[in-house]
Amino acid sequence: VVNLETSLLANNCTYWKSRIDDRGLHRAGLCCVNIGAVYENCPNLEKFMGVEVGMVSHKQTFNKWNIRMKKRFYDDYLQQGGSKEMKAWAKTRWFSRRPVLPMNVGYD
């Protein structure tokens, strides 16, 4: 389980690519740890920054997995009070490509 200590952020997202005027809501799944890095590396993860992710199988392509995860994190964004439509939200608050990890990550 990955949790975010929100009291330290004072309701501001510290994601390095975010605009100053777009930091009011935290970018769960993108800020701190990119959720894309867990694909095929953490299949037993159940919750990520408060979002239920354990129900999304890793036994599918990255693109299908990403679509299902995006929906879950978009719903979390709406629960935080976000108002963007999914397409606009995804453009600034989600990733489209699988993150490149060092070769020794996720391997024994």
Side-chain angles (χ1 to χ4, degrees):
V1 176
V2 177
N3 290 312
L4 174 68
E5 179 55 55
T6 55
S7 63
L8 300 175
L9 296 176
N11 294 325
N12 289 314
C13 182
T14 59
Y15 180 60
W16 66 281
K17 286 187 176 181
S18 63
R19 294 186 345 226
I20 298 291
D21 64 344
D22 190 22
R23 294 185 175 178
L25 296 176
H26 181 68
R27 286 169 166 77
L30 192 57
C31 185
C32 301
V33 176
N34 185 318
I35 187 69
V38 306
Y39 175 72
E40 292 185 335
N41 293 313
C42 304
N44 296 328
L45 186 66
E46 294 179 19
K47 218 176 208 186
F48 188 91
M49 295 184 168
V51 179
E52 296 287 336
V53 297
M55 296 178 201
V56 181
S57 172
H58 292 239
K59 295 179 181 181
Q60 55 191 326
T61 66
F62 176 78
N63 288 338
K64 288 182 181 182
W65 177 87
N66 189 26
I67 288 168
R68 287 168 178 81
M69 289 300 235
K70 180 168 48 174
K71 173 71 173 124
R72 291 182 175 280
F73 282 87
Y74 178 68
D75 289 345
D76 179 66
Y77 164 76
L78 294 176
Q79 289 177 359
Q80 289 183 54
S83 59
K84 292 182 179 185
E85 294 293 324
M86 184 182 250
K87 187 174 182 178
W89 168 84
K91 190 172 184 176
T92 60
R93 296 177 163 266
W94 198 247
F95 57 94
S96 57
R97 286 180 265 150
R98 186 175 180 178
V100 177
L101 301 175
M103 285 302 296
N104 60 347
V105 173
Y107 298 97
D108 292 317

